[in-house]
Amino acid sequence: MEIIQHIDRWLATGAEYETGLQIYLKHGPSTFLKEYFATSRSSFVVSKLKKELLKLREEQGAATPPPRENIEAPPAAAAKPKEEPTAVVQCKQRLKDLLPIISTMHNDLWHAKTDQEREKLAAQLVAKSQQRAELWHMLDKWEKTGIEPGIPTAERLIASRAQIIAAASPHEIAQRLLTVRSQISKAHKSMEEAGTDEKREKYLVKWQALKGELELLLKAKDELPKS
């Protein structure tokens, strides 16, 4: 009954997303959806969270209909062309491609045998989840404003650094390897200590880009001629 009361109070007081998220994180049955709701923001995700909480309410044996949401009707969505732009189609396809990858990572994380393996998988999972969250954000922005999706920030940064590394000398690669790991640690610490979602997202993107750069540097080092 306590869960039903929490959900009813949430509906009656505005159905604010963060409050609903906390209810689902505490009482929801799906680990995948908890991670999904915590890392994504779009009109679709908001609707999905509401549906899952209403479903949870029914499963708890609610005997009365849910209270009417005490919110104003949302503004009408911006008109969209009949045929979706190529950038939107590609963005949606990238989201579809990420879902099985993230699902597999969750399963691998659950069955990981060592802390080192779990830590590596957790870092990869966070990066993929943030990429998905950014893709959802771009789609949501397109729905509201008509601005087409672009390349996720971390991927764009990694691509530019790949060009720099491709032209770097062996000495420059070695020097960069000496500093990039400490920068990764600093970015991760800043992300954990960030006081706002905006700052946390900023450092998360930086951390992802640095991790991608490290992988490129290690690959470039391995491909250097052996003396």
Side-chain angles (χ1 to χ4, degrees):
M1 292 298 293
E2 179 185 359
I3 300 176
I4 296 173
Q5 291 173 356
H6 283 317
I7 296 173
D8 285 355
R9 188 179 303 115
W10 172 69
L11 290 168
T13 56
E16 195 268 332
Y17 186 86
E18 288 299 328
T19 303
L21 171 61
Q22 293 306 315
I23 295 173
Y24 194 86
L25 290 178
K26 184 176 181 180
H27 302 292
S30 171
T31 301
F32 173 77
L33 286 177
K34 288 179 182 180
E35 185 270 335
Y36 177 51
F37 292 141
T39 58
S40 304
R41 292 292 187 279
S42 71
S43 56
F44 173 81
V45 176
V46 171
S47 175
K48 178 69 173 174
L49 175 62
K50 178 188 172 185
K51 289 178 181 178
E52 289 299 321
L53 285 173
L54 289 173
K55 179 180 175 182
L56 179 60
R57 185 182 184 276
E58 291 181 4
E59 291 172 349
Q60 292 295 313
T64 58
R68 181 177 299 178
E69 291 183 53
N70 185 23
I71 55 175
E72 296 180 359
K80 296 184 297 183
K82 292 183 179 180
E83 291 187 7
E84 292 181 336
T86 302
V88 174
V89 175
Q90 292 175 341
C91 189
K92 290 183 176 181
Q93 184 59 51
R94 290 161 72 92
L95 280 168
K96 290 180 181 179
D97 294 340
L98 279 172
L99 280 175
I101 295 173
I102 291 174
S103 179
T104 300
M105 284 183 174
H106 273 288
N107 184 65
D108 292 344
L109 185 62
W110 180 262
H111 293 95
K113 296 180 180 179
T114 66
D115 289 340
Q116 184 177 8
E117 186 180 355
R118 274 189 289 273
E119 183 178 355
K120 182 178 180 180
L121 284 167
Q124 294 173 347
L125 182 58
V126 169
K128 293 296 183 184
S129 297
Q130 176 57 25
Q131 183 182 3
R132 186 180 61 181
E134 189 169 0
L135 289 167
W136 274 120
H137 176 74
M138 288 191 289
L139 280 178
D140 192 43
K141 187 175 182 179
W142 173 72
E143 291 272 358
K144 294 177 180 177
T145 67
I147 297 175
E148 295 183 14
I151 301 172
T153 307
E155 288 188 20
R156 190 165 59 249
L157 291 173
I158 292 171
S160 64
R161 290 174 184 181
Q163 294 176 328
I164 295 172
I165 293 170
S169 67
H171 175 72
E172 290 171 331
I173 291 173
Q175 288 296 111
R176 181 57 182 154
L177 277 170
L178 291 175
T179 59
V180 71
R181 286 187 175 91
S182 64
Q183 291 182 344
I184 289 172
S185 297
K186 289 179 182 178
H188 189 268
K189 183 179 180 182
S190 297
M191 179 179 66
E192 291 183 329
E193 296 177 350
T196 65
D197 289 341
E198 184 178 357
K199 288 183 178 180
R200 191 174 298 109
E201 183 173 345
K202 170 187 172 183
Y203 287 117
L204 180 54
V205 168
K206 183 177 181 180
W207 176 72
Q208 287 179 247
L210 288 168
K211 292 274 287 185
E213 182 181 356
L214 176 59
E215 292 178 6
L216 292 170
L217 286 165
L218 292 173
K219 181 179 179 182
K221 179 184 176 183
D222 291 341
E223 293 175 351
L224 290 174
K226 306 298 180 184
S227 57

